[in-house]
Every structure is written in C-alpha cells, then in structure tokens.
Amino acid sequence: MRLDELLEELQARIDAARGTRDRVRSLLEAVLSVGRELDLEQVLHSIVEAAAALVDAEYAALGVIGPDGRRLSAFHTVGVGEEVIARIGHYPEGHGILGELIRHPEPLRVPKLSDHPASYGFPPHHPPMNTFLGVPIRVRDQVFGNLYLTEKRGGAHFDEEDESVLSTLAVAAGVAIDNARLYEESRLRERWLRANAEITHGLMSGSERGAALLLIAERAREITGAALAVVAVPMTDTDSLTVELAIGQGADTHRGLVVPVDDSLLGRAFTSAAPVISADIACDDRAFPGPQRYTGLGPAVAVPIGSGEGVRGIVLLVRAAGRNAFTDEEIEPLRGFAAQAAVAMELAERRQDAEQIAVFEDRDRIARDLHDLAIQRLFATGMTLQSAGRFIEHKEASERVLRAVDDLDETIRIIRSTIFGLRSPADEGAGGTGLRARAVRVAGEAASVLGFPPSVRMEGLIDTHVSKEAADHLVAVLSEALTNIARHARADRAEVVLETDGREVRLTVSDNGVGVPEEGRRSGLRNMAERAERLGGTFEVTGSAGRGTTLLWRVPVGER
C-alpha cells in the first residue's frame, strides 16, 4: 500500500512537471507569436488570443488606455461574438472593475466579480462573468493598457500560476507593442517624406499652386485617416480666409466659404501660426460659419502652412464622429509636412517670379524694338509716300497713295497701342478693390446690424471675369439684401453665395426669417430688379411667410 501511494505521488509530480513544461512551452510559443507581428492592430489581437489560451479563459480583452490616462480608447476582445457586441452597444470606457486596474496598475484576481466593491454590474445582453484576472501591460515604464480575463473554463478560479504566466506574457507584449509602434512610426515618417517629395517635385516641375494645395490636402487626409480636408488661404486686404478647396465628407458645403480670422478655428491657427485642436468640431462654436456643416464629423485639427509671418494658408483635417482625437505624436509630423510644403510653395513662387520678370524684360525689349525700329521705318515710309503723292498727276493713283499713307498711320497707332499694352502691369486692377474683397467687406459690415456674421461662399474667377459695372451693381444689391434681412426678416442665419461661370455672375442671398409678407413694401426689391434689367439680367424672390427668403440676382459678366 505504501508503495502504491509513493507511485501515485510520483505520477502526480510527473504530471505536474509535464503540465508546467507544456505551459512554459505554450508561453514561449505565445511570446514568439506576439513578437513576430509588426502591425499594431494584429499585435494587440494576437496578445488577447494568446492570453486566453494560456490561462484557459473563455473571455479575454485588451483595453488601450487613452491619452488622458483615465479612460479606455480602444478595446480588443476574444470570445464574444459580433452579434453580442452589437447588442451590448458601446465598448466600455474604463469604469467599475476595469477602471480599478487603470487607477491601480497591479495584477488583480477576483474569485467573484459581483463581490468586488468596484464592480458596477454588466450592461444588458452582456454574457455572465464571475472569475476575473487582470494584468497591466507596460511599454517603457508607461502603462499602455490592461489584459482582462474572465471565466476560467471548468468553473475553476484563476490561481497564482495563471497570474504569473499572464504577467510574463504582459512583459513580452509590452516589447512587441513598442516594436510595432516604432515600426508604425517609421512607416508614417516614410509616407510623410514621400508626400513632401511628391509636392516639391510637382511645384518645381511647374505645377500650378491649386494643384499643389490639392495634393497637400489629399496626402494629409489620406495619411491621418481624416474624413474631410479643407485648405483655406488669406484674402487680399481683408481680415478673412477663403476656403480654396475641400475634399471628402461634406466638401461641397465648404468650398468658397469666407471665414473671418477672429473667433474661428481656422483664424486662430492662422494668427498663432500653431496647430489648433478641436475634440468635436460639430459642437465647437469656433467652427465658423456654423457647426451644422460638420454633421457626422468629430475630432479636428487646423495646421498652418508655413510659420511665423509666412503662413500661406491653413489645412483643416476632420475625422468622423467617434474616431480618436488628434494626438501630439500625429500633429508633429503633420506640422513638419505643412512647413515643408510652404517652403516648396515659396520656392515655386520665386521661380515663377523670375520667369515673369524674364517675360516682362522680353516684352520691354519687344516694345523698344517696335518703337525704335518698326515705327520709325513706317513713319519714314509714310512721309516718303506723302511727298511722292504731290508729283503724281493721275487722280486715282494719287488717291491710292494717300490711302496707303492713312493705312500706315493706322498701323502706327495700332503698334503704339500694342507697345502700351506690353508695358502695362499684367495684374492692373487687382487687390483690395476686387469684387471678392468688396463683397466680404459688405458682409462683415452687415454683421453689426444683423447681430450675427452671414455665411459667405464664392466660386469661380470672380475678380477676373466680372466687369466693374456689374460688380458695382452687385455690391449695391448685396448691401440692400443684407440690410433688408436686418430690418425685416428677424432671422438668425443668412447665407451669401457669389459665383460665376465666365458668362454670368450669380448672387444668392438667403435667410431663415419670417419671409416676405404679401402686403409688405417692395421698393428695395424693385431697385434690385431694375439693376438686373439694366444689365440684361434677371431677379427672382422665392419663399413664403415663416419659411425664410431667397433672392437670386443674375446678370451677364459684361466687358472687362
């Protein structure tokens, strides 16, 4: 009997040794498996799977602690199906027993979850869980997240050996996560460098400024995973920015918008020459001209293109609602990318300036040659023909010579006009007197009487195509329309849209006020209609009482 007992004890110890050997082997395999991955998401998923297998848990999860150090920003699970997850709803943020491990990052074993004082219970549709084991994962002495294991199979409790194995896996997981993050950062830097090289090459090869801005927006949106990218540039002689381009979700509602520098997200980034972050742009009052344009969007960052007084514009990147906010680690390379893009833009502008100077010099040379050579020879030829005409007795012949002299005089006048055109500045008339700047000033001045700033959006080559006469009438109509809104509409929102396709210019002014009553005075509307008819255009008023008003004033662009 004694011998049988000793043999059974020996067998038990052999089985225990084999179990320990198998568990150590499984732990080594798990460490190798986790360390083999370089993609961060795949690494996290592998860690959760390995943890569940090592301690024989039915459910496992890895919660990533957010930048604030108090909540979970991501949650990776094993054992819970997609349908159950959908029924449960939003992932946990780190309350209850999960938050206990965030506040006190030490291994935690609980035989029965409901008995722990930090336990809040489970939301509806959550599977029942009793036993619990949690272990923190540290990356370079900082807590990256926590491993949560529940429901050890067979109804057993998690023991010290489970805790030891899981703690060892957490150490290996920290190294694997660090490697994956370093790899991800290197790939991200490579993508930024590639994007910078692409933009620089395009600008140095002669690409237009608009194409460069589009490339900046596309690459920034693609690399940061943003849903919307907007590029705004400063307007000449005004304290405003205009949205030159927008791509992505809701881009159509942003193109052409005029944004005041004061009290706006873009304006603050422009004046401070530093990134400005918004946790949720849909609820941010700085999101001029109204957060309603950002429905379905969330975290945002506005980054200056350039630095100091050399800011050439602003890139606004907005992620979808529910996505992670922009972190300093993401903003820093984005800021460097924008600064490099600004340098490339400046070099391209210097090259264009040099080319333009060469063109002007060439035009001056041509003008001198025409004046000094062509005109003098034509003038001498005309004088010779005029003198010879006195000696011609045949009447018809004499008339032909005089006509030739007149033709030479007309040719000389044409050449002189051409010389004047060659020597005139190419951008004469540009600047603060353009229609864009005048329309923005009118809208800005109207804000004081309206009680709110009207939204302004512009599209097309407005300063280039629209004649001075049409521009003068349009500015008068805009001023009258905004004044009418202030006096009669009782509105809290107004929108101005100014656009041209090169053939006609269209001004649309809309509000959400009380509308135009049937018995109301219409002298102002008649004035607008007369101005349109005078230029060969049309004027329309739509809307009804209580539903707001929309004015559409459209006329030909006229002769420049």
Side-chain angles (χ1 to χ4, degrees):
M1 292 295 294
R2 178 62 179 162
L3 180 60
D4 289 341
E5 290 177 0
L6 290 174
L7 288 174
E8 288 176 2
E9 183 179 352
L10 178 60
Q11 185 63 43
R13 292 189 178 185
I14 291 173
D15 291 341
R18 284 177 178 172
T20 303
R21 182 201 63 188
D22 293 341
R23 201 161 198 186
V24 170
R25 182 180 296 170
S26 298
L27 177 60
L28 290 174
E29 289 176 354
V31 169
L32 292 174
S33 174
V34 167
R36 195 179 297 121
E37 299 290 345
L38 287 176
D39 179 77
L40 183 57
E41 291 298 313
Q42 188 59 44
V43 167
L44 298 179
H45 188 71
S46 298
I47 292 170
V48 180
E49 287 186 331
L54 282 173
V55 298
D56 204 20
E58 187 173 350
Y59 305 110
L62 193 158
V64 180
I65 300 176
D68 60 0
R70 292 176 295 181
R71 298 183 183 178
L72 298 177
S73 62
F75 208 70
H76 302 264
T77 62
V78 166
V80 183
E82 294 294 332
E83 293 182 0
V84 176
I85 293 174
R87 287 200 300 269
I88 293 172
H90 196 276
Y91 280 119
E93 295 182 353
H95 304 295
I97 194 73
L98 304 186
E100 183 71 17
L101 208 58
I102 296 175
R103 293 185 293 272
H104 307 287
E106 298 293 337
L108 175 65
R109 275 186 295 128
V110 179
K112 191 173 180 60
L113 277 171
S114 58
D115 293 340
H116 196 279
S119 179
Y120 284 179
F122 297 105
H125 309 293
H126 198 287
M129 295 179 180
N130 292 302
T131 54
F132 175 86
L133 173 60
V135 174
I137 297 176
R138 287 182 169 82
V139 177
R140 298 189 181 186
D141 297 329
Q142 289 187 344
V143 179
F144 172 83
N146 297 306
L147 276 171
Y148 306 111
L149 287 302
T150 60
E151 292 301 284
K152 188 175 178 68
R153 297 182 189 277
H157 292 170
F158 295 107
D159 55 22
E160 291 184 2
E161 188 176 341
D162 292 326
E163 181 181 319
S164 177
V165 168
L166 204 59
S167 297
T168 304
L169 177 66
V171 173
V175 175
I177 290 170
D178 193 29
N179 289 338
R181 289 168 72 178
L182 290 173
Y183 177 71
E184 193 173 82
E185 289 172 7
S186 67
R187 288 186 63 189
L188 192 60
R189 278 196 298 269
E190 182 183 352
R191 293 180 70 185
W192 284 121
L193 289 173
R194 211 163 40 234
N196 264 322
E198 188 178 0
I199 292 168
T200 303
H201 180 267
L203 285 169
M204 294 298 102
S205 301
S207 296
E208 295 182 356
R209 175 174 167 276
L213 291 177
L214 178 60
L215 194 58
I216 290 171
E218 286 179 341
R219 294 296 173 267
R221 174 173 169 261
E222 174 188 327
I223 295 174
T224 59
L228 171 68
V230 170
V231 176
V233 295
M235 297 184 67
T236 307
D237 293 342
T238 66
D239 293 329
S240 302
L241 302 168
T242 181
V243 176
E244 187 156 324
L245 64 91
I247 55 174
Q249 182 177 332
D252 293 340
T253 63
H254 292 81
R255 294 191 187 100
L257 280 175
V258 177
V259 182
V261 170
D262 298 331
D263 298 325
S264 69
L265 192 71
L266 295 174
R268 290 190 183 185
F270 181 77
T271 54
S272 65
V276 178
I277 301 172
S278 174
D280 187 359
I281 198 167
C283 302
D284 198 327
D285 293 336
R286 300 172 299 174
F288 187 91
Q292 69 273 9
R293 296 184 185 273
Y294 300 96
T295 303
L297 298 172
V301 61
V303 180
I305 303 175
S307 58
E309 297 181 356
V311 177
R312 296 175 172 273
I314 301 295
V315 177
L316 175 68
L317 299 171
V318 188
R319 285 176 173 158
R323 292 285 306 278
N324 293 336
F326 288 89
T327 63
D328 293 339
E329 290 76 12
E330 291 178 298
I331 293 173
E332 196 56 38
L334 175 59
R335 190 176 184 180
F337 167 73
Q340 291 277 358
V343 171
M345 290 171 66
E346 184 172 357
L347 289 174
E349 288 176 7
R350 295 290 178 268
R351 180 179 57 78
Q352 289 176 355
D353 290 343
E355 292 176 354
Q356 194 170 28
I357 290 172
V359 170
F360 287 155
E361 290 176 349
D362 202 32
R363 287 166 63 175
D364 285 342
R365 180 186 59 78
I366 294 171
R368 284 196 305 270
D369 290 347
L370 286 173
H371 183 272
D372 297 340
L373 301 176
I375 288 182
Q376 300 304 326
R377 291 179 68 87
L378 289 173
F379 186 74
T381 302
M383 292 291 291
T384 300
L385 288 174
Q386 196 172 20
S387 299
R390 300 193 190 101
F391 302 103
I392 300 175
E393 296 180 357
H394 194 282
K395 185 179 180 180
E396 291 185 2
S398 178
E399 290 176 353
R400 288 187 179 182
V401 170
L402 291 176
R403 282 200 301 270
V405 173
D406 291 340
D407 289 342
L408 286 173
D409 288 341
E410 181 63 24
T411 302
I412 290 171
R413 281 194 292 272
I414 292 173
I415 293 176
R416 280 177 173 164
S417 176
T418 303
I419 292 171
F420 179 77
L422 286 170
R423 287 177 172 171
S424 296
D427 55 351
E428 188 175 7
T433 59
L435 179 54
R436 280 180 179 269
R438 293 172 67 187
V440 171
R441 278 196 291 269
V442 169
E445 291 166 359
S448 59
V449 293
L450 286 168
F452 58 89
S455 167
V456 181
R457 183 162 59 90
M458 302 186 189
E459 292 187 18
L461 302 176
I462 294 168
D463 289 335
T464 302
H465 287 156
V466 183
S467 66
K468 185 179 184 304
E469 182 183 11
D472 290 342
H473 284 286
L474 188 147
V475 170
V477 170
L478 175 59
S479 179
E480 178 76 16
L482 292 175
T483 302
N484 286 345
I485 293 174
R487 288 177 178 173
H488 312 297
R490 299 200 294 273
D492 59 14
R493 189 169 70 249
E495 183 172 24
V496 176
V497 179
L498 178 58
E499 53 191 344
T500 181
D501 57 4
R503 295 186 297 274
E504 67 174 11
V505 58
R506 295 177 295 278
L507 171 66
T508 307
V509 183
S510 57
D511 65 72
N512 65 340
V514 298
V516 180
E518 293 294 333
E519 68 280 1
R521 296 178 57 189
R522 296 175 179 265
S523 56
L525 298 180
R526 277 198 303 273
N527 291 338
M528 298 180 200
E530 288 172 1
R531 288 181 181 276
E533 291 170 3
R534 197 178 308 165
L535 298 175
T538 60
F539 175 65
E540 301 173 14
V541 181
T542 57
S544 58
R547 296 185 178 180
T549 306
T550 298
L551 309 180
L552 175 58
W553 191 87
R554 53 200 298 172
V555 298
V557 294
E559 296 293 332
R560 290 290 291 173

